[in-house]
Amino acid sequence: MAEIDTVEKRSKKKRSDKASSKTSPSIIFIPAIGTLGDVLPYLSVAERLVKHGHIVRFAMHARHKHILKSLPGLEWVEIKSDLEGLLASDPEIKAAVANPSPFSGSKIQDAFFPLQQEWFQVINNGTKDANLLVITGTTLPFAFSALELNPNLKAVCLFLAPQTPSAEYAPIIGSSSTSWFNWVNKIKWAFFDKMYWKMFAGPVNKLRRAIHLSEVKTSMSDHLAAIRPHPILTLTAYSTELLPRPADWPSHIDMIPPLFPDPENRAYDAPKELISFLEAEEQKPIYIGIGSMMFTMLGESEQEQTIRTWIAGTKAAGVRAIINLSGTGKSIPEFQSDKDIFVITSFVPHHWLFPKLAGVVHHGGAGTLHAGLAYGLPTLILPFGADQPFNGDRVKIQKLGPAPIPIRSVTVSNFSSAVGALVNDTAFRQNAGRVSQQLLREDGVCPGVPAIEETSNNNYIPAPLPVI
């Protein structure tokens, strides 16, 4: 089989040619809606683009503003409507989202519409005089309308998880990443495409009518193909150690390495108590944390019970642990640290903490997943939904950690067994170490940024697929 000429390989060729690295300055809009883990990878791209002389409007929630460095050309656009804030403040909506039913759909849609309305407006306003829009995974349903309002606006899709149909893997919204037969995956993707648009068709068409755009009658992907005859460059920042690039992807769809935040100028002054805990014993601790999922997806009693289960399970396994409660609500009772358990309640950067650990347990977001593997850490996923079960399945398939345990199925017994395997299974440690060597050699920002620049300057031409 001929070798595929990927975006990453072409970017390396570009970097070897100084003349070709000169690009005209552009105004680039990047809307990053979501958790800190959703935002940081895109910020790494924005910072590199600014260093190359471009103006980047970076849209995100105010609660993440502390991570924004003061750089000439990097402009912050506030996204006021915050899904996490809504879920944390409205117990009824949180319960409806956590336990969906046919009767809760309209309640969820009514609560979400004001948020979606602002996201829609922010994207349309942010692209009015921009050269290029970076379409992120969370903004896809709202972004394509901006392309209709501004036919000259260029675009690049940049996703943190595989969102492009393929016969080689199943849709990311599901418990399994594979099927017995490729034709089953095709059917699943066709169904997913229709159901995904059905979730957004009502609110998006309502918003489109308000700005005098016609309703979308077909699926989102079909409509996008109709309004843009030339395919949009789509980059998926996901490790090929977890999922190889599917051979049936067309040439304008590619996979690049994960987007790691630049630790430069992000100095961290660790608490003395945390340093003492890390140095107290020869046995390295594991990390346990599910970020903002703790207070957005679990009720108060569930939060407390989950933490107690973690503590009991790690102690039963004879494992030391650092439990991250920085994403929990104020209602969580204070949990005391001891010689085996250290509780952190404020932000600790992954690049500082993860090299000092024996393993990681988390919800399965792509950012945390790649960060743990970059430091060679065996991984246990406790998924809620979205792409998290998919990521947990890839970890199991690649033997990088135990089988995922859905967060509401965690017990002291199964958690203790999984944590014991996490730190004691030699194969997990060796495989994670191998993946680490690959990830530390890669930099998704390097191929991603030149591809965005080439698209903005009308220079990007998708390479043809090889003849197989």
Side-chain angles (χ1 to χ4, degrees):
M1 184 175 70
E3 187 178 34
I4 295 175
D5 186 18
T6 63
V7 166
E8 184 178 8
K9 289 173 184 171
R10 292 195 296 278
S11 74
K12 290 178 180 177
K13 295 174 186 176
K14 285 282 185 182
R15 293 199 297 274
S16 66
D17 181 358
K18 292 183 179 179
S20 68
S21 66
K22 296 179 180 178
T23 58
S24 302
S26 298
I27 299 175
I28 299 170
F29 182 57
I30 306 178
I33 298 172
T35 67
L36 186 62
D38 296 320
V39 170
L40 279 170
Y42 293 113
L43 183 58
S44 65
V45 172
E47 291 174 348
R48 189 74 60 88
L49 286 167
V50 166
K51 289 179 181 178
H52 286 196
H54 304 287
I55 296 173
V56 177
R57 293 183 188 136
F58 195 81
M60 66 178 177
H61 304 303
R63 59 191 165 88
H64 301 320
K65 194 181 178 183
H66 67 280
I67 66 172
L68 201 65
K69 291 193 286 190
S70 179
L71 295 174
L74 183 59
E75 303 174 357
W76 173 53
V77 177
E78 182 179 4
I79 302 174
K80 293 180 180 178
S81 295
D82 189 344
L83 177 59
E84 289 191 13
L86 172 66
L87 294 175
S89 61
D90 192 324
E92 286 189 19
I93 296 300
K94 179 195 292 189
V97 171
N99 303 286
S101 72
F103 307 103
S104 62
S106 60
K107 178 184 292 187
I108 294 173
Q109 197 168 77
D110 290 345
F112 281 15
F113 183 73
L115 281 70
Q116 296 168 334
Q117 184 175 33
E118 197 207 345
W119 299 344
F120 188 80
Q121 293 170 347
V122 165
I123 294 169
N124 289 335
N125 292 336
T127 54
K128 280 182 178 177
D129 60 346
N131 301 100
L132 183 138
L133 166 66
V134 175
I135 301 175
T136 61
T138 53
T139 61
L140 182 60
F142 313 100
F144 67 88
S145 297
L147 302 181
E148 288 183 77
L149 290 173
N150 185 356
N152 295 320
L153 179 67
K154 303 177 185 71
V156 171
C157 292
L158 181 55
F159 302 144
L160 304 181
Q163 292 182 225
T164 306
S166 170
E168 296 183 20
Y169 69 94
I172 59 171
I173 307 297
S175 59
S176 175
S177 63
T178 59
S179 302
W180 281 105
F181 303 101
N182 284 1
W183 61 266
V184 176
N185 286 332
K186 289 182 178 181
I187 293 173
K188 287 182 177 180
W189 274 108
F191 179 75
F192 172 79
D193 190 39
K194 287 182 172 58
M195 295 306 297
Y196 182 77
W197 175 238
K198 188 175 181 180
M199 281 195 306
F200 294 100
V204 169
N205 280 329
K206 183 177 180 180
L207 294 168
R208 286 171 62 85
R209 289 194 297 270
I211 58 173
H212 309 294
L213 288 177
S214 62
E215 291 190 7
V216 177
K217 304 292 186 182
T218 60
S219 71
M220 184 169 55
S221 56
D222 289 342
H223 184 75
L224 190 57
I227 65 173
R228 287 286 167 120
H230 300 293
I232 294 176
L233 174 64
T234 300
L235 305 176
T236 299
Y238 199 81
S239 175
T240 53
E241 295 289 336
L242 287 168
L243 181 74
R245 182 193 186 277
D248 59 353
W249 276 3
S251 58
H252 68 280
I253 299 172
D254 215 341
M255 196 173 278
I256 61 174
L259 304 169
F260 291 119
D262 186 357
E264 181 185 356
N265 299 327
R266 299 190 198 279
Y268 175 67
D269 187 15
K272 294 180 181 179
E273 296 81 6
L274 175 56
I275 295 174
S276 297
F277 179 82
L278 289 165
E279 297 176 347
E281 295 187 26
E282 185 176 345
Q283 182 197 56
K284 290 183 177 181
I286 63 170
Y287 167 92
I288 307 175
I290 55 176
S292 57
M293 296 289 108
M294 177 67 81
F295 74 92
T296 57
M297 298 302 292
L298 296 179
E300 292 180 11
S301 61
E302 289 180 302
Q303 294 173 24
E304 183 174 349
Q305 181 57 46
T306 297
I307 298 166
R308 295 193 185 283
T309 299
W310 290 347
I311 292 174
T314 54
K315 285 181 176 290
V319 175
R320 302 173 72 229
I322 293 175
I323 298 180
N324 182 6
L325 300 185
S326 60
T328 59
K330 294 181 180 179
S331 59
I332 290 294
E334 182 177 353
F335 286 86
Q336 298 295 327
S337 299
D338 58 33
K339 67 181 184 65
D340 296 317
I341 302 292
F342 189 90
V343 177
I344 54 177
T345 56
S346 58
F347 174 72
V348 179
H350 292 160
H351 74 265
W352 184 91
L353 180 60
F354 281 14
K356 304 171 178 63
L357 303 175
V360 286
V361 180
H362 57 85
H363 58 291
T368 311
L369 171 62
H370 285 118
L373 293 175
Y375 291 103
L377 299 178
T379 300
L380 170 63
I381 305 295
L382 311 178
F384 286 85
D387 62 330
Q388 297 162 11
F390 180 97
N391 292 332
D393 195 47
R394 298 316 301 174
V395 167
K396 180 189 72 173
I397 288 171
Q398 301 298 344
K399 296 180 172 55
L400 299 167
I405 309 173
I407 188 68
R408 288 188 170 83
S409 299
V410 175
T411 65
V412 173
S413 176
N414 63 20
F415 190 68
S416 176
S417 297
V419 165
L422 184 74
V423 298
N424 294 318
D425 191 302
T426 304
F428 294 157
R429 189 163 56 252
Q430 290 176 342
N431 292 335
R434 172 183 51 78
V435 172
S436 171
Q437 293 176 8
Q438 179 66 25
L439 289 177
L440 292 177
R441 287 196 300 266
E442 298 175 327
D443 178 7
V445 178
C446 282
V449 165
I452 291 171
E453 291 176 320
E454 291 171 38
T455 302
S456 182
N457 285 276
N458 284 320
N459 296 326
Y460 181 79
I461 301 175
L465 281 174
V467 177
I468 300 176

